[in-house]
Amino acid sequence: MTNNETIFINAHEGGIQVFKGAGNLVGFAKTPKMLAYILDTHKIFGEVMFQSSMDFATEEGFDTNMGAVNLFNDAVEMRA
């Protein structure tokens, strides 16, 4: 992570939004491959902050409440 910016991860409309700092959207993905690309492109490694939507992902179009977390974890595993 560059510039010590906090990275926020938010479930949104069946996908994941990635923010560098508050309100600075840098990407949106609905697949692990695209999310991994966003994370790599923006050099996002290490700690991120999940927004509450990640815990209530069914309210954002996911089949289960773990759907958004699983999508994020799948993207991180692809990068390994």
Side-chain angles (χ1 to χ4, degrees):
M1 185 167 39
T2 60
N3 299 331
N4 294 326
E5 294 172 294
T6 301
I7 304 300
F8 296 100
I9 305 296
N10 186 54
H12 180 73
E13 296 182 1
I16 291 182
Q17 295 174 316
V18 180
F19 294 85
K20 270 185 161 179
N24 184 25
L25 179 66
V26 296
F28 175 78
K30 287 193 172 191
T31 66
K33 184 176 181 179
M34 185 63 202
L35 183 55
Y37 174 80
I38 292 166
L39 297 174
D40 286 340
T41 301
H42 291 278
K43 297 177 178 43
I44 297 171
F45 302 96
E47 189 173 324
V48 299
M49 300 294 292
F50 280 176
Q51 300 299 291
S52 63
S53 62
M54 295 293 285
D55 293 323
F56 303 100
T58 56
E59 295 176 9
E60 290 296 335
F62 286 87
D63 291 335
T64 68
N65 280 332
M66 285 300 295
V69 172
N70 291 339
L71 173 59
F72 182 83
N73 288 339
D74 289 347
V76 170
E77 286 181 24
M78 290 182 80
R79 299 170 73 199

